[in-house]
Amino acid sequence: MRRAITAILPILLLFAALLPCGVVAADQATDRQELLELQGYLVWQRINEARSNPRAAVERLRVPVEQARAALGDDAWILEEGLPPLALNPQLTSAASLHGRDMFTRLYYSHVNPEGAGPMERIAAAGYQAVRENETLAILIFSNYVELKLAVDFMIDTMMRDELVATPGVSRNIFSPEFSEAGIVFFAEAIPLLDGQPYAYLFVLDFAAPVTPQRYLVGVYDATTERVPVMMPYATGRWSVQPVLVAGMFQVPYPDGGVAIVLAGDGVETISAPVFVYDEGDAKNKFVDLRAVQ
């Protein structure tokens, strides 16, 4: 299996005083953890939107189309056809989380830890059986406070742009047809052992294709509408409200025979005609964007 190549964002050092970080109460710590987890979900959504419509990503990032075609090489068909979404996998998330924590604890930034273990070993240790795997790292180090949304937008845009222009040393993972699942973790922490005690935002993204594939329906809807995605597996003929993840996203395994998805209110009686129908025959994950549905 091929080793991952480090995808390194520019490390920005802004020379001024870091905002002080004191001891936080338990409820503040919980809020902070939820905020960090939210960034992982939002990047997952952004990645799947870009995979679903790479041409839109190319245009938004102002990458010349011909340059993107050259960067994608034999996979240039992606620009017209798009890619299936990546499903979130808890084992990949665990592997990414442990690696990020280890990098902060032992102060290094690499796909390979000091003992020589890389993504393949970490993902296997998490219990995930992969046909292939890879990893993307992104870090932003600063001394002056950098607003979280601005930083996350910059980091994900840079990761995408690097792949679409074939930046040397960057492995193509986001726009790769080889992967169907991912684990995405975000960290925001001080580095007290470095001069000036700078702060760092860090993304660890583990990508893989499992030995035994599982089809998923991955979607996003407008959580502010107070409606939820409801699924009717054709095999049962029964509607069921689907669990919603952070930021109005959902992920469910495809049932045998196909499925219909609608947005509904709290009660099943409010269901209208299906807005998305999946029929059996496509073995790939599917991305469903229900935000435009009224």
Side-chain angles (χ1 to χ4, degrees):
M1 298 183 184
R2 61 191 178 92
R3 288 284 187 179
I5 301 175
T6 304
I8 302 176
L9 285 177
I11 299 178
L12 303 184
L13 296 175
L14 308 178
F15 302 100
L18 177 68
L19 294 181
C21 298
V23 177
V24 296
D27 56 345
Q28 291 176 310
T30 299
D31 291 343
R32 179 178 182 277
Q33 183 59 36
E34 290 177 351
L35 181 62
L36 297 181
E37 291 177 356
L38 172 62
Q39 307 315 308
Y41 280 109
L42 291 176
V43 168
W44 174 50
Q45 176 186 327
R46 293 271 298 275
I47 287 174
N48 281 335
E49 289 172 344
R51 284 172 63 94
S52 176
N53 189 351
R55 283 297 288 266
V58 166
E59 292 174 4
R60 184 179 64 81
L61 296 172
R62 299 181 179 179
V63 175
V65 174
E66 291 310 311
Q67 185 177 15
R69 288 189 186 280
L72 295 171
D74 292 339
D75 293 330
W77 53 268
I78 289 172
L79 291 176
E80 279 67 47
E81 300 181 27
L83 288 169
L86 298 169
L88 282 186
N89 179 276
Q91 293 165 314
L92 294 177
T93 299
S94 176
S97 181
L98 289 174
H99 185 48
R101 175 55 53 212
D102 188 51
M103 284 190 285
F104 269 109
T105 300
R106 298 200 280 176
L107 294 182
Y108 70 94
Y109 179 68
S110 172
H111 294 296
V112 180
N113 69 16
E115 290 74 36
M120 179 167 44
E121 291 80 9
R122 290 192 296 272
I123 289 171
Y128 188 99
Q129 294 183 308
V131 175
R132 63 188 66 86
E133 66 286 302
N134 215 335
E135 185 175 76
T136 294
L137 301 178
I139 192 168
L140 185 65
I141 300 177
F142 52 93
S143 294
N144 253 2
Y145 176 71
V146 178
E147 196 270 324
L148 183 62
K149 183 180 184 304
L150 179 65
V152 170
D153 286 347
F154 168 77
M155 294 170 81
I156 184 59
D157 283 353
T158 303
M159 284 188 280
M160 289 184 184
R161 185 180 291 106
D162 281 346
E163 292 194 15
L164 291 171
V165 301
T167 297
V170 172
S171 180
R172 180 159 54 87
N173 298 325
I174 295 173
F175 295 102
S176 171
E178 295 185 341
F179 305 119
S180 59
E181 298 183 351
I184 304 172
V185 181
F186 179 75
F187 295 85
E189 299 189 11
I191 311 177
L193 296 182
L194 296 184
D195 290 342
Q197 297 189 8
Y199 211 74
Y201 292 146
L202 170 70
F203 271 111
V204 182
L205 297 83
D206 282 353
F207 301 82
V211 170
T212 304
Q214 166 68 61
R215 297 175 299 175
Y216 287 95
L217 185 67
V218 178
V220 58
Y221 81 107
D222 185 358
T224 64
T225 62
E226 298 183 354
R227 293 188 294 176
V228 296
V230 178
M231 181 172 77
M232 183 188 73
Y234 290 160
T236 66
R238 297 178 181 176
W239 294 103
S240 61
V241 176
Q242 295 306 303
V244 178
L245 304 175
V246 177
M249 286 166 279
F250 61 93
Q251 172 179 305
V252 293
Y254 274 137
D256 293 335
V259 65
I261 297 288
V262 301
L263 281 180
D266 293 335
V268 175
E269 69 276 2
T270 63
I271 290 175
S272 58
V275 297
F276 172 77
V277 176
Y278 164 81
D279 54 27
E280 204 171 20
D282 188 349
K284 299 178 180 179
N285 296 343
K286 181 73 176 179
F287 180 70
V288 182
D289 191 340
L290 299 178
R291 287 170 297 185
V293 177
Q294 301 298 320

